[in-house]
mmCIF file of all heavy atoms in Angstrom:
data_model
loop_
_atom_site.group_PDB
_atom_site.id
_atom_site.type_symbol
_atom_site.label_atom_id
_atom_site.label_comp_id
_atom_site.label_asym_id
_atom_site.label_seq_id
_atom_site.Cartn_x
_atom_site.Cartn_y
_atom_site.Cartn_z
ATOM 1 N N MET A 188 21.802 35.772 32.171
ATOM 2 C CA MET A 188 20.974 36.186 31.027
ATOM 3 C C MET A 188 21.785 36.163 29.731
ATOM 4 O O MET A 188 21.251 35.801 28.685
ATOM 5 C CB MET A 188 20.387 37.586 31.270
ATOM 6 C CG MET A 188 19.348 37.575 32.331
ATOM 7 S SD MET A 188 17.940 36.559 31.838
ATOM 8 C CE MET A 188 17.289 36.127 33.421
ATOM 9 N N SER A 189 23.040 36.582 29.778
ATOM 10 C CA SER A 189 23.829 36.558 28.539
ATOM 11 C C SER A 189 24.151 35.133 28.103
ATOM 12 O O SER A 189 24.167 34.851 26.885
ATOM 13 C CB SER A 189 25.130 37.381 28.674
ATOM 14 O OG SER A 189 25.936 36.854 29.690
ATOM 15 N N THR A 190 24.344 34.250 29.044
ATOM 16 C CA THR A 190 24.588 32.834 28.705
ATOM 17 C C THR A 190 23.323 32.237 28.046
ATOM 18 O O THR A 190 23.427 31.578 27.019
ATOM 19 C CB THR A 190 24.983 32.040 29.970
ATOM 20 O OG1 THR A 190 26.182 32.575 30.509
ATOM 21 C CG2 THR A 190 25.162 30.575 29.621
ATOM 22 N N GLY A 191 22.164 32.494 28.617
ATOM 23 C CA GLY A 191 20.925 31.993 28.039
ATOM 24 C C GLY A 191 20.670 32.561 26.672
ATOM 25 O O GLY A 191 20.253 31.843 25.738
ATOM 26 N N LEU A 192 20.930 33.850 26.477
ATOM 27 C CA LEU A 192 20.737 34.481 25.191
ATOM 28 C C LEU A 192 21.735 33.950 24.161
ATOM 29 O O LEU A 192 21.370 33.642 23.014
ATOM 30 C CB LEU A 192 20.878 36.003 25.316
ATOM 31 C CG LEU A 192 20.556 36.828 24.069
ATOM 32 C CD1 LEU A 192 19.159 36.602 23.580
ATOM 33 C CD2 LEU A 192 20.809 38.322 24.378
ATOM 34 N N THR A 193 22.986 33.774 24.574
ATOM 35 C CA THR A 193 24.002 33.238 23.691
ATOM 36 C C THR A 193 23.670 31.830 23.203
ATOM 37 O O THR A 193 23.785 31.536 22.010
ATOM 38 C CB THR A 193 25.395 33.237 24.349
ATOM 39 O OG1 THR A 193 25.730 34.601 24.688
ATOM 40 C CG2 THR A 193 26.459 32.653 23.492
ATOM 41 N N LYS A 194 23.197 30.990 24.112
ATOM 42 C CA LYS A 194 22.817 29.616 23.728
ATOM 43 C C LYS A 194 21.696 29.620 22.705
ATOM 44 O O LYS A 194 21.720 28.860 21.716
ATOM 45 C CB LYS A 194 22.414 28.816 24.954
ATOM 46 C CG LYS A 194 23.587 28.437 25.821
ATOM 47 C CD LYS A 194 23.125 27.612 27.029
ATOM 48 C CE LYS A 194 24.358 27.265 27.858
ATOM 49 N NZ LYS A 194 23.955 26.434 29.025
ATOM 50 N N ARG A 195 20.718 30.492 22.901
ATOM 51 C CA ARG A 195 19.611 30.597 21.938
ATOM 52 C C ARG A 195 20.085 31.132 20.589
ATOM 53 O O ARG A 195 19.704 30.601 19.546
ATOM 54 C CB ARG A 195 18.498 31.445 22.532
ATOM 55 C CG ARG A 195 17.689 30.665 23.553
ATOM 56 C CD ARG A 195 16.862 31.590 24.438
ATOM 57 N NE ARG A 195 16.095 30.827 25.401
ATOM 58 C CZ ARG A 195 16.546 30.225 26.492
ATOM 59 N NH1 ARG A 195 17.856 30.282 26.771
ATOM 60 N NH2 ARG A 195 15.758 29.571 27.318
ATOM 61 N N LEU A 196 20.944 32.146 20.625
ATOM 62 C CA LEU A 196 21.471 32.674 19.361
ATOM 63 C C LEU A 196 22.319 31.638 18.620
ATOM 64 O O LEU A 196 22.246 31.535 17.375
ATOM 65 C CB LEU A 196 22.286 33.939 19.617
ATOM 66 C CG LEU A 196 21.507 35.151 20.121
ATOM 67 C CD1 LEU A 196 22.443 36.277 20.528
ATOM 68 C CD2 LEU A 196 20.470 35.607 19.091
ATOM 69 N N GLU A 197 23.091 30.853 19.355
ATOM 70 C CA GLU A 197 23.856 29.797 18.721
ATOM 71 C C GLU A 197 22.948 28.755 18.070
ATOM 72 O O GLU A 197 23.217 28.262 17.014
ATOM 73 C CB GLU A 197 24.806 29.135 19.725
ATOM 74 C CG GLU A 197 25.967 30.035 20.124
ATOM 75 C CD GLU A 197 26.767 29.450 21.295
ATOM 76 O OE1 GLU A 197 26.350 28.496 21.956
ATOM 77 O OE2 GLU A 197 27.857 30.047 21.529
ATOM 78 N N GLY A 198 21.844 28.425 18.754
ATOM 79 C CA GLY A 198 20.885 27.487 18.210
ATOM 80 C C GLY A 198 20.246 28.017 16.918
ATOM 81 O O GLY A 198 20.073 27.261 15.958
ATOM 82 N N ILE A 199 19.914 29.284 16.916
ATOM 83 C CA ILE A 199 19.331 29.926 15.746
ATOM 84 C C ILE A 199 20.351 29.886 14.609
ATOM 85 O O ILE A 199 20.013 29.511 13.458
ATOM 86 C CB ILE A 199 18.912 31.365 16.034
ATOM 87 C CG1 ILE A 199 17.735 31.359 17.049
ATOM 88 C CG2 ILE A 199 18.516 32.114 14.756
ATOM 89 C CD1 ILE A 199 17.453 32.722 17.664
ATOM 90 N N ARG A 200 21.576 30.274 14.908
ATOM 91 C CA ARG A 200 22.647 30.277 13.864
ATOM 92 C C ARG A 200 22.861 28.872 13.304
ATOM 93 O O ARG A 200 22.887 28.650 12.105
ATOM 94 C CB ARG A 200 23.951 30.801 14.416
ATOM 95 C CG ARG A 200 25.076 30.845 13.384
ATOM 96 C CD ARG A 200 26.450 30.732 13.990
ATOM 97 N NE ARG A 200 26.559 29.589 14.862
ATOM 98 C CZ ARG A 200 27.265 29.587 16.019
ATOM 99 N NH1 ARG A 200 27.876 30.694 16.416
ATOM 100 N NH2 ARG A 200 27.308 28.521 16.756
ATOM 101 N N ASP A 201 22.982 27.878 14.177
ATOM 102 C CA ASP A 201 23.227 26.514 13.730
ATOM 103 C C ASP A 201 22.083 25.960 12.903
ATOM 104 O O ASP A 201 22.303 25.299 11.891
ATOM 105 C CB ASP A 201 23.516 25.582 14.923
ATOM 106 C CG ASP A 201 24.878 25.904 15.582
ATOM 107 O OD1 ASP A 201 25.650 26.656 15.034
ATOM 108 O OD2 ASP A 201 25.110 25.322 16.692
ATOM 109 N N ALA A 202 20.843 26.269 13.298
ATOM 110 C CA ALA A 202 19.701 25.829 12.511
ATOM 111 C C ALA A 202 19.720 26.499 11.142
ATOM 112 O O ALA A 202 19.415 25.821 10.130
ATOM 113 C CB ALA A 202 18.408 26.148 13.244
ATOM 114 N N ALA A 203 20.087 27.761 11.090
ATOM 115 C CA ALA A 203 20.141 28.463 9.807
ATOM 116 C C ALA A 203 21.246 27.878 8.941
ATOM 117 O O ALA A 203 21.059 27.699 7.715
ATOM 118 C CB ALA A 203 20.386 29.955 10.026
ATOM 119 N N VAL A 204 22.397 27.554 9.512
ATOM 120 C CA VAL A 204 23.480 26.961 8.715
ATOM 121 C C VAL A 204 23.065 25.598 8.208
ATOM 122 O O VAL A 204 23.278 25.278 7.026
ATOM 123 C CB VAL A 204 24.776 26.823 9.588
ATOM 124 C CG1 VAL A 204 25.821 25.980 8.890
ATOM 125 C CG2 VAL A 204 25.340 28.211 9.903
ATOM 126 N N ARG A 205 22.400 24.825 9.054
ATOM 127 C CA ARG A 205 21.968 23.469 8.622
ATOM 128 C C ARG A 205 20.957 23.586 7.456
ATOM 129 O O ARG A 205 21.024 22.869 6.485
ATOM 130 C CB ARG A 205 21.370 22.726 9.814
ATOM 131 C CG ARG A 205 21.129 21.252 9.581
ATOM 132 C CD ARG A 205 20.606 20.574 10.823
ATOM 133 N NE ARG A 205 21.502 20.597 11.944
ATOM 134 C CZ ARG A 205 22.474 19.735 12.190
ATOM 135 N NH1 ARG A 205 22.693 18.756 11.341
ATOM 136 N NH2 ARG A 205 23.242 19.852 13.280
ATOM 137 N N GLN A 206 19.978 24.513 7.592
ATOM 138 C CA GLN A 206 18.994 24.687 6.521
ATOM 139 C C GLN A 206 19.606 25.291 5.272
ATOM 140 O O GLN A 206 19.184 24.959 4.165
ATOM 141 C CB GLN A 206 17.801 25.484 7.027
ATOM 142 C CG GLN A 206 16.953 24.710 8.021
ATOM 143 C CD GLN A 206 15.680 25.374 8.371
ATOM 144 O OE1 GLN A 206 15.257 26.334 7.729
ATOM 145 N NE2 GLN A 206 15.015 24.860 9.410
ATOM 146 N N HIS A 207 20.573 26.168 5.451
ATOM 147 C CA HIS A 207 21.298 26.735 4.306
ATOM 148 C C HIS A 207 21.962 25.615 3.496
ATOM 149 O O HIS A 207 21.858 25.593 2.256
ATOM 150 C CB HIS A 207 22.345 27.730 4.816
ATOM 151 C CG HIS A 207 23.095 28.477 3.733
ATOM 152 N ND1 HIS A 207 24.293 28.041 3.245
ATOM 153 C CD2 HIS A 207 22.779 29.624 3.080
ATOM 154 C CE1 HIS A 207 24.715 28.933 2.351
ATOM 155 N NE2 HIS A 207 23.814 29.839 2.216
ATOM 156 N N ALA A 208 22.569 24.683 4.192
ATOM 157 C CA ALA A 208 23.200 23.527 3.533
ATOM 158 C C ALA A 208 22.148 22.646 2.842
ATOM 159 O O ALA A 208 22.326 22.224 1.710
ATOM 160 C CB ALA A 208 23.995 22.717 4.515
ATOM 161 N N ALA A 209 21.048 22.398 3.549
ATOM 162 C CA ALA A 209 19.990 21.529 3.001
ATOM 163 C C ALA A 209 19.375 22.121 1.737
ATOM 164 O O ALA A 209 18.922 21.388 0.853
ATOM 165 C CB ALA A 209 18.910 21.313 4.030
ATOM 166 N N GLN A 210 19.369 23.440 1.625
ATOM 167 C CA GLN A 210 18.797 24.100 0.453
ATOM 168 C C GLN A 210 19.837 24.356 -0.622
ATOM 169 O O GLN A 210 19.561 25.026 -1.621
ATOM 170 C CB GLN A 210 18.157 25.416 0.911
ATOM 171 C CG GLN A 210 16.914 25.208 1.756
ATOM 172 C CD GLN A 210 16.313 26.523 2.218
ATOM 173 O OE1 GLN A 210 16.583 27.579 1.638
ATOM 174 N NE2 GLN A 210 15.514 26.443 3.285
ATOM 175 N N GLY A 211 21.044 23.795 -0.437
ATOM 176 C CA GLY A 211 22.051 23.918 -1.479
ATOM 177 C C GLY A 211 22.859 25.206 -1.441
ATOM 178 O O GLY A 211 23.503 25.576 -2.417
ATOM 179 N N GLY A 212 22.826 25.905 -0.309
ATOM 180 C CA GLY A 212 23.595 27.147 -0.174
ATOM 181 C C GLY A 212 25.083 26.860 -0.333
ATOM 182 O O GLY A 212 25.618 25.853 0.070
ATOM 183 N N SER A 213 25.777 27.792 -0.966
ATOM 184 C CA SER A 213 27.206 27.622 -1.271
ATOM 185 C C SER A 213 28.062 27.958 -0.024
ATOM 186 O O SER A 213 27.629 28.734 0.855
ATOM 187 C CB SER A 213 27.626 28.505 -2.433
ATOM 188 O OG SER A 213 27.622 29.866 -2.040
ATOM 189 N N TYR A 214 29.254 27.385 -0.011
ATOM 190 C CA TYR A 214 30.216 27.741 1.015
ATOM 191 C C TYR A 214 30.590 29.194 0.927
ATOM 192 O O TYR A 214 30.796 29.861 1.950
ATOM 193 C CB TYR A 214 31.485 26.876 0.905
ATOM 194 C CG TYR A 214 31.315 25.430 1.267
ATOM 195 C CD1 TYR A 214 31.561 24.415 0.355
ATOM 196 C CD2 TYR A 214 30.859 25.067 2.542
ATOM 197 C CE1 TYR A 214 31.400 23.074 0.679
ATOM 198 C CE2 TYR A 214 30.698 23.721 2.871
ATOM 199 C CZ TYR A 214 30.952 22.740 1.942
ATOM 200 O OH TYR A 214 30.825 21.419 2.284
ATOM 201 N N GLY A 215 30.683 29.737 -0.269
ATOM 202 C CA GLY A 215 31.020 31.161 -0.435
ATOM 203 C C GLY A 215 29.997 32.067 0.164
ATOM 204 O O GLY A 215 30.332 33.029 0.849
ATOM 205 N N ALA A 216 28.714 31.783 -0.059
ATOM 206 C CA ALA A 216 27.640 32.580 0.516
ATOM 207 C C ALA A 216 27.643 32.453 2.041
ATOM 208 O O ALA A 216 27.449 33.445 2.748
ATOM 209 C CB ALA A 216 26.271 32.170 -0.043
ATOM 210 N N LEU A 217 27.910 31.252 2.530
ATOM 211 C CA LEU A 217 27.982 31.056 3.961
ATOM 212 C C LEU A 217 29.157 31.812 4.568
ATOM 213 O O LEU A 217 29.041 32.444 5.606
ATOM 214 C CB LEU A 217 28.110 29.542 4.286
ATOM 215 C CG LEU A 217 28.189 29.159 5.740
ATOM 216 C CD1 LEU A 217 26.930 29.611 6.518
ATOM 217 C CD2 LEU A 217 28.386 27.669 5.886
ATOM 218 N N ALA A 218 30.303 31.782 3.875
ATOM 219 C CA ALA A 218 31.461 32.536 4.352
ATOM 220 C C ALA A 218 31.165 34.015 4.438
ATOM 221 O O ALA A 218 31.526 34.686 5.421
ATOM 222 C CB ALA A 218 32.647 32.272 3.416
ATOM 223 N N ASN A 219 30.487 34.595 3.439
ATOM 224 C CA ASN A 219 30.120 35.978 3.472
ATOM 225 C C ASN A 219 29.199 36.272 4.630
ATOM 226 O O ASN A 219 29.363 37.299 5.297
ATOM 227 C CB ASN A 219 29.438 36.413 2.151
ATOM 228 C CG ASN A 219 30.440 36.515 1.005
ATOM 229 O OD1 ASN A 219 31.626 36.719 1.202
ATOM 230 N ND2 ASN A 219 29.928 36.385 -0.185
ATOM 231 N N ALA A 220 28.249 35.436 4.892
ATOM 232 C CA ALA A 220 27.298 35.625 5.973
ATOM 233 C C ALA A 220 27.985 35.533 7.350
ATOM 234 O O ALA A 220 27.624 36.246 8.272
ATOM 235 C CB ALA A 220 26.163 34.606 5.884
ATOM 236 N N MET A 221 28.980 34.660 7.466
ATOM 237 C CA MET A 221 29.684 34.459 8.731
ATOM 238 C C MET A 221 30.871 35.421 8.922
ATOM 239 O O MET A 221 31.369 35.483 10.027
ATOM 240 C CB MET A 221 30.173 33.020 8.828
ATOM 241 C CG MET A 221 29.060 31.979 8.832
ATOM 242 S SD MET A 221 29.722 30.290 8.806
ATOM 243 C CE MET A 221 29.796 29.964 10.557
ATOM 244 N N GLY A 222 31.280 36.083 7.859
ATOM 245 C CA GLY A 222 32.392 36.974 7.952
ATOM 246 C C GLY A 222 33.723 36.244 8.127
ATOM 247 O O GLY A 222 34.618 36.721 8.857
ATOM 248 N N VAL A 223 33.824 35.070 7.501
ATOM 249 C CA VAL A 223 35.013 34.240 7.574
ATOM 250 C C VAL A 223 35.457 33.821 6.194
ATOM 251 O O VAL A 223 34.752 34.098 5.220
ATOM 252 C CB VAL A 223 34.787 32.987 8.477
ATOM 253 C CG1 VAL A 223 34.411 33.381 9.920
ATOM 254 C CG2 VAL A 223 33.694 32.084 7.905
ATOM 255 N N THR A 224 36.573 33.138 6.118
ATOM 256 C CA THR A 224 37.025 32.638 4.816
ATOM 257 C C THR A 224 36.122 31.474 4.393
ATOM 258 O O THR A 224 35.446 30.866 5.188
ATOM 259 C CB THR A 224 38.475 32.150 4.874
ATOM 260 O OG1 THR A 224 38.524 30.992 5.743
ATOM 261 C CG2 THR A 224 39.401 33.232 5.388
ATOM 262 N N ARG A 225 36.169 31.159 3.111
ATOM 263 C CA ARG A 225 35.404 30.037 2.584
ATOM 264 C C ARG A 225 35.819 28.736 3.249
ATOM 265 O O ARG A 225 34.972 27.902 3.591
ATOM 266 C CB ARG A 225 35.617 29.927 1.058
ATOM 267 C CG ARG A 225 34.712 28.896 0.394
ATOM 268 C CD ARG A 225 35.057 28.751 -1.086
ATOM 269 N NE ARG A 225 34.300 27.701 -1.689
ATOM 270 C CZ ARG A 225 34.518 26.381 -1.526
ATOM 271 N NH1 ARG A 225 35.489 25.969 -0.750
ATOM 272 N NH2 ARG A 225 33.766 25.488 -2.135
ATOM 273 N N ALA A 226 37.114 28.543 3.472
ATOM 274 C CA ALA A 226 37.580 27.305 4.081
ATOM 275 C C ALA A 226 37.065 27.166 5.520
ATOM 276 O O ALA A 226 36.691 26.081 5.953
ATOM 277 C CB ALA A 226 39.119 27.279 4.068
ATOM 278 N N THR A 227 37.022 28.282 6.238
ATOM 279 C CA THR A 227 36.507 28.251 7.595
ATOM 280 C C THR A 227 35.026 27.957 7.602
ATOM 281 O O THR A 227 34.545 27.131 8.401
ATOM 282 C CB THR A 227 36.817 29.595 8.315
ATOM 283 O OG1 THR A 227 38.215 29.811 8.367
ATOM 284 C CG2 THR A 227 36.240 29.588 9.711
ATOM 285 N N ALA A 228 34.313 28.576 6.713
ATOM 286 C CA ALA A 228 32.870 28.303 6.605
ATOM 287 C C ALA A 228 32.615 26.832 6.269
ATOM 288 O O ALA A 228 31.712 26.200 6.840
ATOM 289 C CB ALA A 228 32.223 29.233 5.558
ATOM 290 N N GLN A 229 33.362 26.300 5.341
ATOM 291 C CA GLN A 229 33.205 24.899 4.955
ATOM 292 C C GLN A 229 33.477 23.986 6.157
ATOM 293 O O GLN A 229 32.717 23.084 6.449
ATOM 294 C CB GLN A 229 34.156 24.575 3.816
ATOM 295 C CG GLN A 229 34.063 23.117 3.349
ATOM 296 C CD GLN A 229 34.960 22.829 2.168
ATOM 297 O OE1 GLN A 229 35.556 23.741 1.557
ATOM 298 N NE2 GLN A 229 35.049 21.567 1.796
ATOM 299 N N SER A 230 34.535 24.270 6.885
ATOM 300 C CA SER A 230 34.880 23.454 8.050
ATOM 301 C C SER A 230 33.804 23.505 9.120
ATOM 302 O O SER A 230 33.403 22.486 9.677
ATOM 303 C CB SER A 230 36.244 23.948 8.616
ATOM 304 O OG SER A 230 36.516 23.272 9.801
ATOM 305 N N ARG A 231 33.329 24.712 9.407
ATOM 306 C CA ARG A 231 32.277 24.865 10.435
ATOM 307 C C ARG A 231 30.998 24.159 10.024
ATOM 308 O O ARG A 231 30.356 23.521 10.837
ATOM 309 C CB ARG A 231 32.025 26.363 10.718
ATOM 310 C CG ARG A 231 33.206 26.993 11.465
ATOM 311 C CD ARG A 231 32.914 28.447 11.762
ATOM 312 N NE ARG A 231 34.067 29.061 12.368
ATOM 313 C CZ ARG A 231 34.157 30.352 12.654
ATOM 314 N NH1 ARG A 231 33.136 31.151 12.373
ATOM 315 N NH2 ARG A 231 35.245 30.854 13.185
ATOM 316 N N ARG A 232 30.590 24.337 8.769
ATOM 317 C CA ARG A 232 29.355 23.703 8.306
ATOM 318 C C ARG A 232 29.494 22.207 8.326
ATOM 319 O O ARG A 232 28.622 21.483 8.804
ATOM 320 C CB ARG A 232 28.956 24.200 6.928
ATOM 321 C CG ARG A 232 27.614 23.613 6.474
ATOM 322 C CD ARG A 232 27.157 24.199 5.181
ATOM 323 N NE ARG A 232 27.572 23.351 4.067
ATOM 324 C CZ ARG A 232 27.269 23.563 2.810
ATOM 325 N NH1 ARG A 232 26.557 24.625 2.457
ATOM 326 N NH2 ARG A 232 27.675 22.779 1.852
ATOM 327 N N ASP A 233 30.601 21.670 7.803
ATOM 328 C CA ASP A 233 30.835 20.245 7.763
ATOM 329 C C ASP A 233 30.837 19.642 9.152
ATOM 330 O O ASP A 233 30.292 18.557 9.392
ATOM 331 C CB ASP A 233 32.084 19.900 6.985
ATOM 332 C CG ASP A 233 31.975 20.222 5.491
ATOM 333 O OD1 ASP A 233 30.866 20.515 5.035
ATOM 334 O OD2 ASP A 233 33.019 20.155 4.808
ATOM 335 N N THR A 234 31.466 20.324 10.095
ATOM 336 C CA THR A 234 31.499 19.847 11.488
ATOM 337 C C THR A 234 30.102 19.830 12.068
ATOM 338 O O THR A 234 29.704 18.882 12.739
ATOM 339 C CB THR A 234 32.431 20.736 12.352
ATOM 340 O OG1 THR A 234 33.752 20.677 11.799
ATOM 341 C CG2 THR A 234 32.447 20.313 13.767
#
């Protein structure tokens, strides 16, 4: 159950990151939302 829930949560997060980028969301705002540095947020989104 935790594996299934985690996979769904990851899908939700990734879809939100993708749409955040498509709507022109900044790396700084993404970093704040993810609780990481700007460089890490940029790397994760670009990947």
